[in-house]
Amino acid sequence: MLNKYARRFFTSLFGPLARLLLKWGVSPDAVTVVGTLGVVAGALVFYPMGELFWGTVFITVFVFSDLVDGIMARIKGTGSTWGSFLDSTLDRIADGALFAGVAIWFFGRGDNTPVAIAALACLVLGMLVSYARAKAESLGFTANVGIAERAERLVSVLVVTGLTGLGLPEVFLLVVLVLLALASTATVIQRVAAVHKQAMAASETS
C-alpha cells in the first residue's frame, strides 16, 4: 500500500540522482548490491553495538537505493527478469539482517528477551510473506494481497528502532514488532486464501 502511493513522490525526488548515476556509467544492479551491503552493514554492525539511532540513520540512507535502482532501470529501459530476481533476493537478505540485528542486541546487552523474540518472529514471518507470493507466482497464481507489504514493515521497524535509540521506552518497539508479526501472519493467511480461491476456480474450469 505504502509503496504504491509514495512511488510518484520518490520518483520525482530521486529521479535526478538516478539520471546522474546513469550518466556516470553506474548500473542499476550495482546500486542494488551496494544498497544491500549498506543495509546489512548497518544492521549487523551498529545495532549489535546498541547504536540504534545512528544505525537506523545509516540503514535508511542505503534503503533508498532500492528506489533509485528501480528508477534507473525504468529510465534506461532495461528492466529485466534478472534485475527483478536480484532485487527480490537481496531484499530478503537486507530484511533478514535488519531484524537479526535488532534481535542480537536485545538478546545480548540490550537485555530485553521479549523484544528479541518479537524481532525474530518478524524475521521469519516476513520471509514467509515473501515466499508465499513468490511460490504462488511460480505456479501461475497471483498473491499480491495483504496488509504487511515490505515497505510497511521497513518503515515501521526503522522509525521505532531509531526512536528507541533516542530514548523511547522499549515497550513501544515491542508493541510495534508484535503488531508487525500479527500483520505478517494475517498477510500470509490472506495470500494462502487468495491462491486457494484461484486454484479451486481453475480446477472447476478444467
Side-chain angles (χ1 to χ4, degrees):
M1 292 184 291
L2 179 65
N3 50 0
K4 180 176 69 174
Y5 294 112
R7 184 180 298 276
R8 183 176 300 177
F9 168 75
F10 284 114
T11 297
S12 63
L13 180 64
F14 292 109
L17 175 60
R19 292 184 179 87
L20 180 62
L21 291 173
L22 288 171
K23 184 178 180 180
W24 288 347
V26 179
S27 71
D29 287 352
V31 173
T32 301
V33 172
V34 170
T36 301
L37 291 175
V39 171
V40 171
L44 298 183
V45 174
F46 285 96
Y47 281 179
M49 293 170 57
E51 296 289 345
L52 301 184
F53 174 73
W54 290 112
T56 296
V57 172
F58 187 88
I59 291 167
T60 300
V61 171
F62 286 95
V63 162
F64 285 122
S65 67
D66 194 45
L67 298 168
V68 175
D69 62 4
I71 297 171
M72 290 171 67
R74 288 194 294 273
I75 292 174
K76 196 174 181 180
T78 57
S80 65
T81 302
W82 159 248
S84 177
F85 171 80
L86 179 66
D87 188 60
S88 180
T89 300
L90 294 185
D91 281 350
R92 304 292 81 75
I93 294 174
D95 293 356
L98 179 61
F99 287 108
V102 173
I104 290 170
W105 167 248
F106 286 105
F107 270 132
R109 287 183 293 161
D111 194 26
N112 193 324
T113 301
V115 170
I117 292 173
L120 284 183
C122 287
L123 190 161
V124 173
L125 290 166
M127 295 297 176
L128 189 54
V129 166
S130 300
Y131 174 80
R133 178 173 178 173
K135 185 62 178 179
E137 291 176 350
S138 73
L139 296 173
F141 302 115
T142 58
N144 56 343
V145 296
I147 59 175
E149 295 285 355
R150 182 172 186 260
E152 284 86 345
R153 298 198 302 270
L154 279 180
V155 170
S156 299
V157 71
L158 284 173
V159 169
V160 182
T161 300
L163 292 176
T164 300
L166 290 177
L168 183 73
E170 293 173 0
V171 65
F172 286 96
L173 178 57
L174 175 61
V175 169
V176 167
L177 290 172
V178 169
L179 290 176
L180 193 55
L182 292 174
S184 295
T185 301
T187 297
V188 172
I189 294 172
Q190 287 177 289
R191 292 184 173 183
V192 169
V195 172
H196 180 263
K197 182 178 180 180
Q198 294 170 63
M200 292 301 99
S203 65
E204 291 174 359
T205 58
S206 61

